[in-house]
């Protein structure tokens, strides 16, 4: 049981550790100290749903509809291009008075953006429904399989809350419009790179 849980935790953490659109968004919100708890909870809970589905064998849907990954890739790429453009425009304008004053978008628009990053990202399905689901088949019996899934879910909660609240350590660095411009430029370029990767 413990070995299964540790394997699940290590697997989940290693998959989520890579820099992606969702992580960049959580980092940005963490730096802005805006809706961090609810955002981290939403991202981790979404992962929990997908990981549970993967462990239960829901990944077979992809086998039933082979075109699904392509559809998700196109939708995800379109969203990443638009969001990346928004960040680059924000960096070009350089108007960060609201961020520096601690004012940001509302909770629901923030969660809607997080939902798009999460559910329109085909790599999320590959990681959770595909890879984690496949690895879970190494564990036979309800208890070990449940422990593996719980470990993977725990990794998501640990990662997102650490990222969201850990971003505050960079708070002193983000006290200038120039720092925010650099951050948004980097995020915008990462979004476009990820979109290109999805389309390739």
């Amino acid at each position: 049981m413990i070995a299964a849980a540790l394997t699940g935790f290590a697997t989940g953490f290693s998959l989520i550790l890579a820099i992606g659109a969702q992580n960049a968004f959580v980092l940005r919100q963490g730096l802005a100290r805006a809706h961090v708890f609810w955002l981290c909870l939403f991202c981790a809970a979404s992962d929990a749903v997908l990981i549970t589905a993967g462990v239960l064998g829901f990944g077979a849907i992809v086998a039933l509809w082979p075109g699904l990954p392509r559809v998700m890739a196109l939708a995800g790429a379109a969203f990443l291009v638009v969001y990346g453009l928004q960040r680059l425009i924000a960096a070009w304008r350089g108007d960060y008075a609201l961020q520096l004053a601690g004012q940001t978008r509302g909770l629901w628009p923030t969660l809607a953006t997080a939902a798009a990053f999460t559910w329109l990202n085909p790599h999320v399905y590959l990681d959770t429904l595909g890879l984690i689901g496949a690895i879970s088949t190494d564990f036979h019996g309800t208890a070990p399989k449940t422990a593996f899934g719980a470990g993977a879910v725990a990794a998501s909660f640990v990662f997102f809350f650490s990222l969201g609240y850990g971003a505050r350590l960079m708070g002193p660095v983000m006290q200038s419009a120039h720092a925010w411009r650099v951050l948004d430029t980097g995020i915008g370029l990462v979004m476009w790179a990820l979109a290109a990767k999805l389309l390739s």
Side-chain angles (χ1 to χ4, degrees), residues 20 62 69 75 80 171 178 181:
V62 175
L80 290 174
H178 174 72
R181 293 182 79 168

Side-chain angles (χ1 to χ4, degrees), residues 118-199:
T118 302
W119 297 94
L120 290 180
N121 180 4
H123 290 295
V124 169
Y125 298 94
L126 175 62
D127 290 347
T128 55
L129 299 180
L131 295 176
I132 291 180
I135 295 173
S136 70
T137 60
D138 291 338
F139 299 93
H140 304 286
T142 302
K145 192 177 290 285
T146 300
F148 172 82
V153 168
S156 287
F157 276 87
V158 169
F159 176 82
F160 281 116
F161 278 93
S162 296
L163 179 63
Y165 285 102
R168 297 185 178 188
L169 298 176
M170 295 175 59
V173 180
M174 304 303 295
Q175 296 302 312
S176 70
H178 174 72
W180 280 97
R181 293 182 79 168
V182 171
L183 176 67
D184 271 346
T185 299
I187 289 178
L189 294 176
V190 167
M191 297 301 161
W192 281 5
L194 291 172
K197 185 177 180 181
L198 286 179
L199 294 175

Side-chain angles (χ1 to χ4, degrees), residues 22-34 36 39 83 86-87 90-91 95-96 99 104-105 163-164 167 174 180-181 183-184 187:
Q22 186 187 48
N23 296 353
F25 182 65
V26 172
L27 175 63
R28 189 178 192 282
Q29 291 299 119
L31 288 170
R33 301 190 179 188
V36 178
L39 176 61
Y83 186 79
Q86 290 177 340
R87 297 277 50 89
D95 184 12
Y96 291 100
Q99 282 85 349
T104 58
R105 301 171 66 194
L163 179 63
M174 304 303 295
W180 280 97
R181 293 182 79 168
L183 176 67
D184 271 346
I187 289 178

